[in-house]
Structure formats: structure tokens, C-alpha cells
Amino acid sequence: MYFKYQRFWIVFVLGGAGLLCNLTFLPDTASIHLGIYLLTALILIGRVQSVRRRREWDKLGFSHDTHLGLLAISDTILIGFVILIIAFVLPIGKYWPPARNGYETLRSPMLHFEEDFNRLFAGLPARRGLAYRIWGNVMAFQGTINPTDTIALQVESPIAMYWKARTYNYYTSKGWLSNETILRANDWTPSYSVPLQYNKQIEVTYRLTPGYESSTLFAGGQVLSLDTDYLIETYDSPTFTINLEDPSVSDKYTSLHPDIYRTIDELAIFNQRKGNDLNNETISEILPDNLHLIGAKNNGQIITIAEKIPHWPDVLSVRTDGPKIKPGQEYEVRSSLSLATPEELKGTSGKYPIWATQIYTQLPSDLPDRIRGLAIELTVNEGTNYDKVMAIQNYLKKLEYNLSIDPPPFDGDGVDYFLFEQKEGYSEYFGSAMTVLLRSIGIPARLATGYSEGEQIRDTDLYIVSDRDAHAWTEVFFPRYGWIPFEPTPGVAIPPIT
């Protein structure tokens, strides 16, 4: 169509844009391909324009030099070389502020689609090390990655920590999602909550300076406050509807949590005894302390309840409430860290709150059976949940760490492929495997992503964190102590709190 209407230049514009976009993921030496493409495009444009001009002159009866075509090509080659030389010797965008600002302005409309592209093309190996890792709402399993030495963060902290970008609550065979979460102001509290303070916690204040523009605010442990306006990614109190007229509608909750099962059973028994007439007061008396009655219909036959979750929201990530944080823009964070010892974690019961099992034991229905079989095999002789966690962590640490790997097959499960086929990978695979194995045996766990502690400057509290420190690990929930980080990746360890 473009050639039919003699708009052939549109083809070069579209092709050049596609090639330029692909250069983002290719080595610097691949720029020569763009140069060759542009030069040949200029030569063809010069040739076509020369032919057009001579045809017009022939129609008008003007005489012209028969060597004009060759002269046009030689002149185009000369001018093309001059243009390309000037273009390639101009200051590189990342070093020249006007070029960088122009690039960011042109790129901003595409940010909305960035995560979809990341998810669609995550299986392609990265030929070039990207300057920074981006943890969006989707974290898809990838193939080969090439981290760089670019500085991502500078942190001044009295304690070494993992600097978390976000955690993911929903697993699919292709990777992780932040599913059914909400963004709320920092002073927000859940709709139905109870005061709860986890045991053995200390508060730490530290300052971070990012090396790149980002709407994500990095932090260690459980964030308590920041000295800038921010939003938290979290979730509200889970709600449940119990239908006493048709118990099969409620059966899906019986395997979810013992509190829901017992509540359904007690309500059904009372309902039969009193002749299908339950009022709000009676229902509230039957409900355990951790459940709140929202409302009842049909003489108490259809009941909606909510769980009372901790007053302090469970934070999956922290975002700026306004413009992105600029490179070099310092911010201060106050966090809570756990000091729980292995002995104390071993002493916790296996009774989890409903929200922990509802959100953090989720797995896809088509999860391969051999994943759960491996988890059972590794933990069958362990007496406590902490011992089970450590057994799975120790098993994963025996696998091989490798940044150069093949992505999982399109029709396969990423964790299954890592555990049983490839048996090597990097931190996203180790953290995902540990999280999924724990979930498969009913232990609430989630994948955390961000940066490891980085390199400490000797005799200071300053940590330099580079792109090579980009990392993923597992957080496991323990009643009375909250979320505890674990490190399944070989050769690295959670920094001790000293």
C-alpha cells in the first residue's frame, strides 16, 4: 500500500523504529546494523527521488544529464555518511541532559504498556545488560540476564538489610502477579481490624538515595513510615458469604481455614435447632472473635462476614504519592525488623490467620503434582514448620546458580521446569521454588524482590548497591512473629541483625 501511493518512506520509518527499539536489548556493537540500515535507506530515497525528478523533466520536455542517476547516488552516499558520522559522534543521551530529557518525554506514553511487553517477551534472553531491574505488577520467568555495575542505590543504615522493592502474592505457571491489591494512603487502616504487635521487633531508621528515577520506594523489613508522601500496596479485610440454604455454596471455604469450617458448622446446627431464624445478635455471638458480621439476609440464611486483620496493614510495596523520586533525591525510612530466633520460630503453632492462608497459600489448579510430592518428601520427617522451611531451603541451596539459562517452555510451569528439568537458575527461580514448595504443604509464603545489602564502605554505615545486587528471596509467615525472610539462593545469606 505504501509503495502503491508512493509513500515508501513510511516503511523506512517503521522499520527503523523497530530496529531502534530492539537495540535497547542488544549489545552496543549492534548499533552498526542501525547505521547500515539508515545508510541504505538514504541511498534508496535518493535514488527514488532522482528517478521521480527525471520522469517529471521528461514529461515537461526538459533535457538533463544522462549521468544524473549515478551522480544522485554518489551524492546521497556522501551526504549519508556525513549525517551518520555527525549522529554517531553526538553526545550519548544518558550523558547529555537535553537528549535524556527528550528521550524520557517521548518514552513516557509507552510506560503504560511496559509491563505487558515485559510479560510477553520475558522468555527472550537479554543480549544487553539493562541498567536497572523493574519490578512491576508482573514478574515473568525469564531466560538469560546480564546485570551491570550501574549504581542503583546508596544506603546509609546502621544495619545491613535486603532493600525490598515489592512482594508478590499470586503465582501462575508463567511467573508472579500482584493480584487484588489496593493502593492506599500511608495512614489507611483495614475496614475490620484488631490491634496486633508482632513479638521480638526492633525499629531501624535509615536513608536511601536512588541512582535512577522510580515510583518505587525501597525499604527493608516492614515499613512503618517515610519522610515523604507515599502510598502502600496492600489489601483489605477478606470477606466471605455463607449460604445456609445451600451448604454446597459454602463448601469451598471448608478447606480454606478451620475457623470458617467451624463457623459454618455451628451456624448450620443452630439454624436447624431454631427453625431457620437467625438474627444478627445470635450470629455475632456464634462468630469467633476474629470474624465480624457485615450483614445477613433471608432470615439469617445468607450471611456475609469479614476477618479482622492486623491494624497495621500488610505492605507489599511502597510507592510515591506524586512525582517519581529523582536520581540523587534522598528519603528516610523507618522500618520494623524481626529478632526472632530459630528456637522461637520453632515454638510457633501451625494455626494461621485466615488472610494468610487465603492469600499466601494460593497455587494454580494445574500445578504439577510432583512439586507437592517433592515438598512432602523433603519435609515428611520435620516436626515444626520452621524445620520444614529450613529443609526446603537447604535442598535448594544444593542446586546450581547460573545467569545464563533457557527460559521455561511456553506450555510448562516455571518452578516445575527449574526443579526437575533445568536444575539451575538465578535468585528469581530459587525464591519462586521455595515459595511454591512451601505453599504446596500449607505454609504461607511469598516472593520478595529488590536488592541484597550491597557493598559496605569500610568503617562506615554506607552501602553501595548496584544492579548486580538485584535479588529475589522468600518471606515466610509465622504466627506471633510476622514475615521472616529466608534465602534459598546458593552462596548468599540474609545479613544478620547486629
Side-chain angles (χ1 to χ4, degrees), residues 242 244 250 253-254 260-269:
I242 298 172
L244 298 178
S250 303
Y253 299 120
T254 61
I260 298 294
Y261 176 82
R262 285 193 296 269
T263 299
I264 294 173
D265 192 40
E266 291 178 13
L267 287 171
I269 293 174

Side-chain angles (χ1 to χ4, degrees), residues 292-306:
H292 175 84
L293 175 65
I294 297 177
K297 299 185 298 183
N298 294 8
N299 294 324
Q301 302 308 295
I302 301 177
I303 304 166
T304 303
I305 59 177

Side-chain angles (χ1 to χ4, degrees), residues 113-130:
F113 305 100
E114 188 173 78
E115 289 185 5
D116 289 332
F117 277 98
N118 288 342
R119 175 169 51 84
L120 288 172
F121 299 106
L124 298 178
R127 303 298 184 186
R128 165 187 281 182
L130 301 180

Side-chain angles (χ1 to χ4, degrees), residues 274-304:
K274 294 298 183 180
N276 296 337
D277 188 13
L278 283 169
N279 57 46
N280 287 0
E281 182 179 355
T282 302
I283 295 172
S284 296
E285 291 176 356
I286 294 175
L287 293 180
D289 292 338
N290 62 323
L291 297 178
H292 175 84
L293 175 65
I294 297 177
K297 299 185 298 183
N298 294 8
N299 294 324
Q301 302 308 295
I302 301 177
I303 304 166
T304 303

